[in-house]
Amino acid sequence: MSTPDNTVQVTSLPNLAQILPYLLGHYPDDSIALHAPGPNFHDGPTMTCPLPEVSAEWQATAENAARQFVAYAHDRGHDPAQGIIIYLCREPRPGQSPEDAAALLAPISTWLTNEFVEHRANVLQTIGLVANRWWAYECDIDGCCEGEPLPSPDDPTSVVAQMTRLGRTPGPRTRDIIKEFRATADPGFLEDLHTAADHFNTRCATNAERDATLALTLDQIAAAMRQFRDGATALSRALTMQLIVGLQDDAAVEAGVAHAEDDDLPHARRLWAYLARHCAEPFAQEAVPILTLFAFVAWRQGDLIAARLALRNAITTDPEYELATGIHLGTIDGEDPRDWLASAREGHTHRAAHLQHAVEVASEYRPTTDTTAVRYREALDAATSHYYDQVPSEDERRRARYTTIDIVNGALADFRTGRPQLMDDIAARIILGLQDLHARDAALSAGEESDLPYERQLWGYLARRCVPPHTGKAPPLLTLLGWVAWRQGDSVTATHAFTEAVDIYPGYTMAKLLLDGIRKECDPARLLATYRAAAAEFAASRPDLDTL
């Protein structure tokens, strides 16, 4: 192995066994390592493949690794027929001797060699490395090349001695590298994380709630980065959990990638490693985007080994996670991570602007999350229980529709006089009454333009009261709000409101029809004429009902 200014001699099997951590830049625990020597030995492609813990999976793993390496070598202009060196690395398990472990590895040599021969590749040597000893599996002389200790650094011809003279050190072991981001179990934290994940999923039941939650996550990422820039090595328990669950959103991960400018790299690396260490089973899936962020930062730092080890963990957990596989291919193909950073920053800037606007729009109707939410929920609980305890007749349902409209008109009168508040039971009665499609249609704004601000204020006010678990009662209010906004020329808010209604209840026909009308650029004035006629018919039928 030579460099422009010096030469390292690899002239023996002991040298060949000892050079691996210098060749790869790390020592791959429990792995197959493949190297196709170039003119200076270290030239040429290398690849590592982890060995599964279950030995029954080794043959398939070995054969797949051989096929991948042949393709990889060809892609890099190297002919594997010129020779391949195989390294098989594994540490003895409890109760297992080095000889036992080496014997267990021996069949892998045969499987790899057979597969390479099938693809016209030539195996030069297979070296087993177990417990600082080496085996040469091609040697068929009993007792020869079996379990020899690696050369002593005191031997001037050893690779270690040669490298030391050149000021080079061996790469660390895999197990030491992954300590930076390997998860450790904390039962108490994991129990709280489970609760936080459930709460997160509840908060993201609708588009508006997802947008609001994403906006919060972006703020939390920025806050965590500020803390780590200031020297923090840990976050509060609550913020740690919120970031782990929040980073399951691809847009949040994109924001994380954007925090990979040069000055931020060491702080971002510590942050993502810190979060990854908190994602022990059964939360390994939650670690995937975080490990991917760690890998991207390591790639930006030029630490390809740590990046690929983190990506290996992520892809093993979720082979379909596209960002991890994309970055992994980027590290292999020699792409510039700064191109990824530029793309992420552009996407994040655009998305953040859109998100800010969406959150501002949704603030008009998004369910309340402050202390009043408890009161709103209790009022709807009581009204719902009373509502469903009764089985009204058809006539009673028709009377109830008019009662609902009367209460709505009374509420609008209050809003016109500057009292935009309703008693909890009155608000709950309106919300429940408008679940009736006929009452909702009668409430569709058919009045004059001067009334629209008060109607919009009322529907937004009532929609904000549809707190969990009563979110499913919001579509009528959102549809009424959207219709008023559309009449006012605010098609953006109308589109958001209709979309939110359909998101909550995909089969909500009125919202779907009105949303389709906006997308087709229909004139709401034509619909208004139809709704005015329906409102007049509804009002005219009331005297007949009163005589029943």
Side-chain angles (χ1 to χ4, degrees), residues 14 85 150 175 476:
I85 296 172
L150 291 174
R175 63 192 181 199

Side-chain angles (χ1 to χ4, degrees), residues 130-205:
V130 180
N132 291 317
R133 295 160 66 178
W134 62 272
W135 280 255
Y137 289 109
E138 271 72 26
C139 181
D140 55 6
I141 302 174
D142 289 342
C144 183
C145 303
E146 295 181 4
E148 296 290 335
L150 291 174
S152 168
D154 295 334
D155 180 349
T157 66
S158 72
V159 166
V160 172
Q162 295 181 67
M163 290 292 187
T164 301
R165 288 195 295 271
L166 297 174
R168 297 181 58 184
T169 57
R173 298 186 74 105
T174 300
R175 63 192 181 199
D176 294 325
I177 297 173
I178 65 175
K179 284 180 182 177
E180 184 177 5
F181 54 79
R182 184 174 56 201
T184 55
D186 177 347
F189 178 84
L190 294 175
E191 184 176 344
D192 290 345
L193 182 57
H194 189 278
T195 301
D198 286 345
H199 182 56
F200 178 85
N201 292 333
T202 300
R203 290 204 318 266
C204 295

Side-chain angles (χ1 to χ4, degrees), residues 77-100:
H78 190 93
D79 182 4
Q82 295 176 359
I84 295 172
I85 296 172
I86 299 169
Y87 291 92
L88 304 177
C89 309
R90 184 173 170 85
E91 293 305 294
R93 297 308 189 253
Q96 190 179 65
S97 69
E99 289 76 14
D100 293 336

Side-chain angles (χ1 to χ4, degrees), residues 314-537:
I315 294 169
T316 299
T317 302
D318 185 358
E320 303 301 319
Y321 193 67
E322 293 183 358
L323 183 60
T325 55
I327 291 176
H328 183 246
L329 290 173
T331 66
I332 293 172
D333 294 338
E335 296 181 20
D336 189 338
R338 290 173 296 185
D339 294 339
W340 287 68
L341 175 61
S343 177
R345 288 186 64 82
E346 181 181 352
H348 172 59
T349 300
H350 175 75
R351 191 188 299 267
H354 174 77
L355 179 65
Q356 182 180 0
H357 180 65
V359 170
E360 289 173 356
V361 169
S363 64
E364 185 173 0
Y365 56 77
R366 189 175 63 246
T368 299
T369 57
D370 59 22
T371 54
T372 58
V374 175
R375 203 180 79 229
Y376 294 167
R377 184 182 67 248
E378 290 174 348
L380 281 169
D381 285 344
T384 302
S385 176
H386 176 73
Y387 185 83
Y388 287 110
D389 280 346
Q390 302 175 357
V391 183
S393 65
E394 179 59 30
D395 289 342
E396 288 171 332
R397 282 195 292 271
R398 293 176 67 191
R399 288 192 177 90
R401 292 166 191 154
Y402 287 98
T403 300
T404 296
I405 298 304
D406 288 343
I407 299 174
V408 167
N409 289 334
L412 283 171
D414 285 342
F415 276 58
R416 288 189 195 97
T417 59
R419 297 195 301 268
Q421 295 289 332
L422 300 176
M423 294 179 63
D424 291 341
D425 61 332
I426 295 297
R429 285 185 65 185
I430 296 176
I431 291 170
L432 286 173
L434 290 173
Q435 304 307 303
D436 181 281
L437 301 185
H438 297 284
R440 178 209 63 195
D441 290 350
L444 279 168
S445 174
E448 299 306 318
E449 299 295 320
S450 58
D451 254 352
L452 295 181
Y454 309 113
E455 293 184 25
R456 179 166 176 166
Q457 193 176 17
L458 174 62
W459 305 136
Y461 171 80
L462 293 173
R464 292 194 298 274
R465 282 178 165 265
C466 294
V467 298
H470 298 284
T471 308
K473 296 180 175 65
L477 290 312
L478 293 167
T479 303
L480 293 167
L481 171 64
W483 168 241
V484 172
W486 192 14
R487 280 194 63 191
Q488 291 179 310
D490 183 0
S491 60
V492 173
T493 298
T495 298
H496 278 279
F498 294 145
T499 301
E500 185 78 355
V502 174
D503 191 45
I504 295 170
Y505 180 12
Y508 205 70
T509 304
M510 175 65 79
K512 291 170 69 175
L513 290 173
L514 293 176
L515 180 60
D516 190 53
I518 290 179
R519 289 170 175 168
K520 292 180 177 178
E521 300 182 351
C522 295
D523 184 353
R526 296 178 59 186
L527 291 173
L528 178 60
T530 301
Y531 294 150
R532 280 178 171 163
E537 183 179 345

